[in-house]
Structure formats: structure tokens, C-alpha cells
Amino acid sequence: MAHERDPRFDPRLTPYKDGVAEIALQGVITAARYVVGELLTCNVTSAAMSDEPGAHAEQSSQLLFGERFKVIERKHDYVWGQSMRDGYVGYVHAGAFTPDWHLPTHFVSTLRTFVFADTSIKSPIKKILSLNSLVSVTREEGRFSFINDLGWVYTAHLSGFDRFAGDYVEVAETFLHAPYQWGGRESIGVDCSGLVQQALYATGRSCPRDTYMQAAELGDVIEIGADFSGLQRGDLVFWKGHVAIMMDADTIIHANAFHMKTAIEPLKEAVARIEASGNGLPTVFRRP
């Protein structure tokens, strides 16, 4: 028997497919089978999420180190389920995970940092962690903190969950020149909505994953003049399938496929170029 998706629920955010649903959806979505998901933790710098299992599947998002993932189904070397941080649903290679036994105590608060084998900057580097990766600090020694039975991180590169950045635009600027990566959420490469999400996360604010979600949910809609007057630092400009952050009244920063990196440019230049490419004018402006 074929099982069709319930059109009331966004498939990007709903752990339900092929008649199988996460147990929390019982009584909400009709399914042939409900599963109590298994919680695992991402144990690599970043792990690709996709709509289909397989090494050649298109990346739709990523998990960062320390983020939890609820497994609903296993298929060969891949697991299908939901990210517990932003609710995104997809397939991830099973090798990216470890059992969920480290309770996060801190997050990486710099663009990226190294995990060293010892409390010395000369010791071997065991892993690289991106901004907003979640770690569990078990002890400190000198300038370093030991995390996740793994190694040592420079303590000043970590923050507790009571201390966040103050200006999300300033955080976004640290990604300047990072390569554009479709589905990227990491410091090595991001997409447009990934940049917005990670910058807001660093200031202690929640943020949905995709552009269309952000355009519908973040902050308040604002009305501006026909000449784009009335915008200010931190406002968001949305096109269909794209988002940019205002650095001031006239300038944006955005991860984009034209420059193939995170770039700064005048808003009016971006508007003219995007319209000329056939992708239309901005659809909404929001103040998060």
C-alpha cells in the first residue's frame, strides 16, 4: 500500500516517510508504524545530510560536531532521521555518529578551532571544529579544556550557554570569503541560509534552516521605501531561494553562488544582478 505525505506537514521538518513515523507523531500523522528514535551524536567536523542515501546524493544540509540526531530508520550504511537542533530531516552516513553520551556544556564560539592531542599548540591536531559545534568539557588544564574523550581545545575558543556574541552581523563577517557550499553550515563553507542560521546561533538565538522557513518565521516583516530606504544593520533581505544580511543601510553580506563565497556588496547591485538573472526582486524584508 502506498503511503503519501500529509500535505499539512513540511517534509523537511517531519520525521515521516513511507508509512514510518517517529513515535512523537502518533496521533498527529497516520502511519503504518511508529518508531522510538535512537539518539546519536555527530562525531565528525561536519556530516552531510541528504534526501537520499548514498555518497553521490545532493547535500541538503549538514550536522556539526556534537549535534544530536534521532535515528528513525537504517538503510545500509546510512541512517534516516531528524536533527535535534534545527529539526531538519534527512539521511546521514552512519559512520558520522557516536552513542549519545556526552552532554554538551559549551559551544565553539570562534569561527573554527583545533582539537589538540595534548595541552600544547605543538601537539598533533586531532580534529577541526566549526563555530557552534557542541562539546562536553570534563576538565581544564592551563589554557586548555579537555572535550568529549577526544582532546584539548583552547579554552578561550569555547563559551558556556550563558555567554553569547552580541552582534550577529559581526559574527557573519567572520565568514567573509568562506567558499559557498550548497547545504553548508560549517565554517569551511556555507550557503546563504546557513550563514544566517550560524550567525544567529552564535548570539543565542534559534533559527530555522532553509531560506523559505526564515522568510516566514524570523522576526517581523518590515516595510521599506521603493528605493530600499529604511533598512538598517541586521535586517534580512529575502529573494525566492536566497537571503542576505544588511551590514548597514546600503550594504549586504551574503553567501552566494555568483561570487562562490561569502561576500560584501551594495544591496542595489545585488538586486539588479539577481533580477537580471531572472530570479526576481526581493520578496520580503524582515528584522530578526
Side-chain angles (χ1 to χ4, degrees):
M1 180 176 64
H3 296 274
E4 296 183 359
R5 282 196 177 275
D6 190 321
R8 297 173 299 167
F9 299 95
D10 188 338
R12 292 287 190 193
L13 301 173
T14 309
Y16 166 75
K17 72 175 182 65
D18 301 330
V20 179
E22 206 275 326
I23 190 69
L25 294 174
Q26 193 168 23
V28 178
I29 286 180
T30 301
R33 183 164 61 95
Y34 298 93
V35 175
V36 177
E38 174 191 8
L39 278 177
L40 298 176
T41 300
C42 182
N43 196 41
V44 295
T45 299
S46 66
M49 295 184 69
S50 56
D51 293 338
E52 300 291 337
H56 300 292
E58 179 182 289
Q59 177 173 274
S60 56
S61 190
Q62 291 177 320
L63 294 174
L64 300 180
F65 182 90
E67 291 185 328
R68 289 172 165 174
F69 186 81
K70 183 174 285 188
V71 176
I72 310 301
E73 180 183 77
R74 291 181 178 270
K75 189 169 185 178
H76 306 301
D77 294 332
Y78 286 81
V79 293
W80 177 82
Q82 184 173 37
S83 166
M84 293 289 93
R85 198 174 198 179
D86 62 16
Y88 217 70
V89 170
Y91 283 95
V92 183
H93 193 276
F97 298 104
T98 189
D100 181 48
W101 56 52
H102 290 110
L103 179 67
T105 61
H106 294 72
F107 68 96
V108 174
S109 53
T110 191
L111 183 63
R112 69 182 67 95
T113 193
F114 294 129
V115 181
F116 294 99
D118 207 341
T119 55
S120 167
I121 60 174
K122 297 180 182 179
S123 64
I125 293 169
K126 301 184 69 175
K127 200 177 292 289
I128 300 174
L129 302 182
S130 286
L131 176 71
N132 294 318
S133 294
L134 303 174
V135 303
S136 177
V137 173
T138 55
R139 66 184 187 273
E140 296 182 16
E141 188 174 316
R143 299 190 302 159
F144 291 86
S145 293
F146 190 76
I147 65 157
N148 297 67
D149 300 326
L150 179 64
W152 298 88
V153 173
Y154 183 53
T155 300
H157 288 178
L158 303 176
S159 290
F161 297 108
D162 58 349
R163 182 168 59 91
F164 296 95
D167 181 359
Y168 96 94
V169 183
E170 188 174 294
V171 176
E173 289 179 65
T174 67
F175 283 83
L176 188 61
H177 303 306
Y180 179 82
Q181 180 185 185
W182 182 268
R185 298 174 66 236
E186 61 184 329
S187 64
I188 303 299
V190 291
D191 62 16
C192 62
S193 55
L195 177 66
V196 172
Q197 185 191 59
Q198 295 310 308
L200 285 172
Y201 275 1
T203 62
R205 303 169 70 177
S206 62
C207 180
R209 174 63 184 96
D210 282 345
T211 305
Y212 73 92
M213 302 172 188
Q214 296 172 359
E217 300 175 29
L218 282 180
D220 300 311
V221 175
I222 55 175
E223 300 296 332
I224 65 163
D227 59 350
F228 302 111
S229 60
L231 289 166
Q232 65 185 39
R233 182 177 177 87
D235 289 345
L236 295 171
V237 183
F238 290 93
W239 291 259
K240 183 179 180 181
H242 189 60
V243 60
I245 303 167
M246 298 302 301
M247 294 186 64
D248 53 40
D250 304 303
T251 310
I252 60 172
I253 181 169
H254 60 151
N256 67 93
F258 176 78
H259 296 98
M260 281 304 294
K261 63 181 181 179
T262 298
I264 294 172
E265 64 178 320
L267 170 62
K268 291 182 179 179
E269 285 188 13
V271 168
R273 182 181 68 250
I274 293 171
E275 183 183 19
S277 72
N279 290 319
L281 292 169
T283 56
V284 66
F285 302 85
R286 299 190 75 102
R287 185 162 293 162

